[in-house]
Amino acid sequence: MANLDHLPLPRVEGQLDRRKKPGFNQPIGRDVATHAASISEKIRAVDASRANAADPDQNAPLLLRIASKNPIESQEWSRVDMQILATDPRNTVVLFATDTELKKFKGRLEEYRLPPPPGQKGQRYAGFIEPIEEIEVRKPTDRVGPALKLQGFEQTNTFIDGNVMVLDIELYRPSDDYIGVFCNRIENIIAEQNGKILSEYRGGSLLMMRVEADGPLIRRLMNAPEVLEIDLPPEPDLDPADITNIQIDGDIEIIPARDDAATIGIVDSGLTSAHPLLEASVVGAFGIPPEMGAADEWGHGTSVAGVAALSDIRPMLEQKSFSARFKIASARVLKSDGRFHDSELVPRQMDEAIRRLHDEFGCKVINISLSDPARPASTKPSAWAAVLDDLARELDLIIVVAAGNRNDLASSFGAAREEVVNRYPQYLFDPGNRLLEPGTAANVITVGSISVGNGLRADDDVAVRAITGSDQPSPFSRIGPGVSEIVKPDFVDYGGTCLFDGAAQQLLKGDSRSEAGIICPNSNYLAGLLGSKCGTSLAAPLLAHKAAILREAFPQASANLIRTLLALSSEVPAMAKTLLSGFDHDDIVRIVGNGVSQLDRALYSNDNRVILYDEAVIHSDHFLVYELPIPEDFQSTKGSKRIDVALAFDPPTRRTREDYLGHTMS
């Protein structure tokens, strides 16, 4: 069947206004005197708590947490010059106010107490004051992050004197006029308590510091109103860098990437630039920070880069001809032990690495096969994810991240380890199997894993049991959904499988047998050019490779159009459908997302399958009307037919808001 170009989707009219009913805060009908007295008492309690705080600094900003029975429109807070810094569930907002703004709020409260003005049925500002139920300041324990809680640090007294820790401090981000005020006060506190600031990041939506602090300083920071969260630094979920060495007999052919080939950016553990399969295709490698160097001492980044450049290496191995489709630029962000740098904030590393890959090497596709096992998906994305969302939107990038791996799979069943076989695939829905940060990022592509095969060998004894068949979810892959129930992982691709060895009571992974893994370059190429590994870390660069092909084929296309083409071309493999047939559609999507993207379907239309597309800017509260031509054959021919609609956009995101996505589209 002939390959045909995709067609433009004809637009009927310009943008039209979406008619919205005006929204007003409605009075609840409370007793005025009682409610006004209650609100006044809550404000007095806040004033008293500030005066008696462990950090009674007169310069400390006032941050109020206000809960209401019904939502209060944001413009109501703007009218009293209070800044919304964060929103929480159950109609709760965190507001920043100076004494001047608090005085304006108290003024409205006093007007609410008065009899209604002439010609008005109810009190002035009743729609603003009456929904309010609680006014308070945050407690110190509210600032303890999830990774610290996992380690047992939940109360202020768990941070003891003399115990020096390296922690990431995230601040609320006020308007630009007050950023210096917030940061300078926290910097002064750290200096007064003999702490040390190791790294600082001031981004468009994020303020962070990495600090070295002992118990007294940590306890004081937990009382600082500017602090949103205190937590342990992220750590990647990388297994020890073992790899199966694959020997190649005889001569091989190595074909580097074309001179005009696109460059894929890799943010990982570095790169063995002298690897024979990659050497001529590497255009740059650097470390963030620079003193870390660019070499891949841990052994992960070289494998990821090789898959991104060459894609599926298994058929190349059979033919002994290795052809790189893309060039590679590498940003090293991990130390030799596979951990992030001790004194650098991960969001800052990501920002610097991605901007340099984009600005210096022209990377439009960037792969990050790293994730944090201490931060499974929750109601709000991590700071790491938020920075990736900002960069993808600002720089029009395809950023591909791995969903993360379940590394405690066998041990999670205790003594009954064979249940790893018997309970597959049900355990994929266990709470401990949620995707890892930064996989919740909304403007990036998150990739889960499916198996190439069952991983068995002809000489395996009966104790070695397969868990998966071909094209089925990998046992270690993690599931969604993402924030606001969006589809995550976006796609799956081939990341290998594992088997259960009953005699040894352990899992056999791709790093111990190539049949279960993905073939990839070995960073220690003197021991063997190739090896095998398994994990979503290898599935992600396969998807990045496809995205780079599409960006080459459609050089004027935005990242959003590329994401749309990937989605329209994807399908859930038949073997996965059969395995998951007992689950409902939403559960299947949580595991495999949109499925595996089929590159030929993304690149071309044909006589029986046509993609029509349009790129546009749609303003808030507007809509577009399109004309969809339906051929007569489509209407009259019997058989299965369907119309798929895919929408991709990159909304502004707000990490501290309950509605993380600044806009939605449907």
Side-chain angles (χ1 to χ4, degrees):
M1 194 172 292
N3 290 330
L4 304 173
D5 291 338
H6 303 323
L7 300 176
L9 179 62
R11 198 182 309 168
V12 176
E13 303 184 47
Q15 295 195 31
L16 303 175
D17 289 338
R18 179 169 68 93
R19 293 185 178 88
K20 294 172 55 179
K21 294 181 180 179
F24 300 97
N25 292 326
Q26 298 298 321
I28 296 173
R30 299 184 192 269
D31 179 80
V32 174
T34 302
H35 187 61
S38 173
I39 296 298
S40 295
E41 179 56 35
K42 294 178 189 300
I43 294 174
R44 281 194 293 271
V46 166
D47 289 337
S49 69
R50 293 176 73 199
N52 298 322
D55 181 22
D57 187 342
Q58 296 301 313
N59 296 319
L62 174 60
L63 271 68
L64 297 174
R65 175 184 271 169
I66 299 182
S68 57
K69 185 176 180 66
N70 299 324
I72 296 175
E73 297 289 337
S74 60
Q75 57 263 33
E76 294 288 353
W77 300 114
S78 299
R79 291 185 182 116
V80 290
D81 296 328
M82 288 183 170
Q83 293 183 34
I84 296 179
L85 299 182
T87 59
D88 293 326
R90 298 178 295 280
N91 300 323
T92 302
V93 295
V94 177
L95 297 157
F96 167 46
T98 65
D99 289 335
T100 301
E101 283 100 42
L102 188 59
K103 187 175 180 179
K104 290 182 182 179
F105 176 79
K106 290 177 180 178
R108 288 203 170 187
L109 179 60
E110 290 307 312
E111 291 191 58
Y112 166 72
R113 292 178 190 268
L114 300 174
Q120 185 171 314
K121 290 183 178 180
Q123 263 62 31
R124 292 201 70 189
Y125 304 121
F128 176 50
I129 298 295
E130 287 193 358
I132 296 174
E133 295 192 318
E134 294 292 339
I135 300 178
E136 59 185 4
V137 293
R138 293 182 76 210
K139 303 178 184 69
T141 51
D142 293 338
R143 298 182 172 91
V144 179
L148 274 173
K149 287 179 179 177
L150 285 175
Q151 298 291 329
F153 294 93
E154 296 192 16
Q155 304 297 326
T156 54
N157 60 11
T158 55
F159 298 95
I160 59 176
D161 295 7
N163 182 22
V164 177
M165 303 178 70
V166 174
L167 297 171
D168 284 355
I169 313 296
E170 182 176 356
L171 309 185
Y172 285 105
R173 193 191 188 284
S175 62
D176 292 348
D177 293 342
Y178 286 94
I179 287 176
V181 175
F182 275 35
C183 292
N184 292 343
R185 204 181 82 88
I186 296 301
E187 290 168 355
N188 290 337
I189 290 173
I190 294 168
E192 290 168 8
Q193 298 276 149
N194 298 316
K196 185 178 182 181
I197 298 176
L198 304 175
S199 179
E200 191 168 354
Y201 177 75
R202 301 186 185 187
S205 62
L206 193 67
L207 299 179
M208 290 191 74
M209 299 176 186
R210 178 164 294 179
V211 303
E212 190 175 82
D214 69 352
L217 173 54
I218 297 169
R219 295 195 297 271
R220 188 169 178 191
L221 290 170
M222 289 177 70
N223 282 281
E226 301 95 333
V227 173
L228 169 64
E229 185 175 272
I230 300 175
D231 212 351
L232 295 169
E235 291 297 347
D237 67 331
L238 302 183
D239 282 334
D242 294 332
I243 190 167
T244 300
N245 295 322
I246 297 175
Q247 304 299 327
I248 306 175
D249 296 327
D251 296 332
I252 62 172
E253 180 184 30
I254 299 174
I255 304 172
R258 306 183 319 270
D259 290 343
D260 62 346
T263 302
I264 297 177
I266 305 295
V267 180
D268 212 287
S269 64
L271 183 66
T272 303
S273 298
H275 193 291
L277 299 185
L278 297 173
E279 183 177 16
S281 301
V282 175
V283 296
F286 57 91
I288 300 291
E291 61 267 21
M292 194 158 54
D296 185 10
E297 297 178 80
W298 180 250
H300 188 261
T302 302
S303 299
V304 171
V307 174
L310 284 80
S311 188
D312 186 0
I313 296 178
R314 202 172 290 268
M316 299 182 187
L317 177 60
E318 295 173 359
Q319 299 168 13
K320 296 185 179 181
S321 178
F322 300 89
S323 176
R325 174 69 184 267
F326 296 109
K327 297 176 181 178
I328 292 295
S330 166
R332 177 181 174 179
V333 295
L334 301 185
K335 301 182 300 176
S336 59
D337 59 0
R339 297 163 65 92
F340 286 113
H341 197 276
D342 298 332
S343 60
E344 282 289 342
L345 286 162
V346 171
R348 178 172 170 171
Q349 283 185 289
M350 295 296 146
D351 189 289
E352 292 186 17
I354 290 171
R355 288 187 188 280
R356 185 170 174 187
L357 289 170
H358 172 268
D359 297 345
E360 189 172 332
F361 301 102
C363 298
K364 294 184 177 181
V365 176
I366 292 175
N367 187 92
I368 306 173
S369 287
L370 306 171
S371 49
D372 184 359
R375 289 172 179 80
S378 62
T379 55
K380 292 182 180 178
S382 65
W384 183 358
V387 167
L388 298 185
D389 274 334
D390 288 347
L391 291 168
R393 174 181 167 83
E394 176 191 345
L395 303 177
D396 190 36
L397 294 174
I398 293 286
I399 298 178
V400 181
V401 303
N405 304 314
R406 181 80 182 270
N407 291 329
D408 65 342
L409 189 56
S411 60
S412 65
F413 293 101
R417 294 195 169 196
E418 65 277 359
E419 289 299 296
V420 73
V421 179
N422 301 330
R423 283 199 59 229
Y424 174 83
Q426 285 81 3
Y427 61 71
L428 293 175
F429 296 101
D430 290 351
N433 221 49
R434 291 295 307 280
L435 61 90
L436 299 179
E437 295 289 2
T440 60
N443 294 334
V444 311
I445 294 175
T446 306
V447 186
S449 175
I450 59 172
S451 59
V452 176
N454 61 22
L456 289 170
R457 295 172 175 166
D459 59 352
D460 280 330
D461 62 37
V462 70
V464 177
R465 300 174 62 189
I467 301 174
T468 71
S470 300
D471 292 338
Q472 293 180 343
S474 301
F476 47 76
S477 190
R478 289 177 171 266
I479 70 166
V483 65
S484 302
E485 299 298 309
I486 62 176
V487 172
K488 289 287 175 179
D490 299 86
F491 304 99
V492 289
D493 220 307
Y494 295 101
T497 187
C498 49
L499 305 93
F500 181 68
D501 184 346
Q505 288 288 292
Q506 66 182 15
L507 290 178
L508 302 175
K509 300 181 181 180
D511 54 8
S512 61
R513 54 168 57 201
S514 60
E515 293 83 0
I518 300 299
I519 306 300
C520 53
N522 183 358
S523 62
N524 182 16
Y525 62 87
L526 296 178
L529 284 183
L530 299 172
S532 72
K533 291 183 178 180
C534 62
T536 59
S537 294
L538 283 307
L542 284 173
L543 194 285
H545 185 93
K546 296 174 183 177
I549 289 176
L550 291 175
R551 293 216 86 156
E552 267 194 346
F554 304 100
Q556 303 305 316
S558 67
N560 285 328
L561 178 54
I562 301 303
R563 290 162 60 200
T564 305
L565 293 173
L566 288 168
L568 281 174
S569 69
S570 65
E571 59 184 0
V572 178
M575 292 291 286
K577 283 183 180 178
T578 301
L579 175 74
L580 303 173
S581 59
F583 299 97
D584 64 31
H585 175 265
D586 289 346
D587 283 341
I588 295 173
V589 169
R590 288 176 64 196
I591 296 176
V592 297
N594 292 294
V596 180
S597 183
Q598 309 296 316
L599 191 56
D600 58 334
R601 291 159 58 95
L603 285 168
Y604 305 109
S605 294
N606 59 45
D607 292 336
N608 293 328
R609 180 182 174 275
V610 180
I611 290 179
L612 298 97
Y613 69 94
D614 183 53
E615 289 198 89
V617 174
I618 306 179
H619 297 292
S620 181
D621 295 321
H622 287 71
F623 66 93
L624 299 176
V625 178
Y626 292 93
E627 177 183 356
L628 184 62
I630 307 295
E632 184 177 340
D633 285 352
F634 189 93
Q635 301 177 53
S636 59
T637 303
K638 294 181 179 180
S640 175
K641 296 163 287 184
R642 74 173 193 243
I643 297 173
D644 293 331
V645 180
L647 305 174
F649 73 124
D650 49 358
T653 54
R654 305 173 294 186
R655 165 163 154 71
T656 58
R657 305 297 180 93
E658 184 183 12
D659 51 341
Y660 176 72
L661 303 180
H663 300 282
T664 57
M665 184 170 72
S666 62

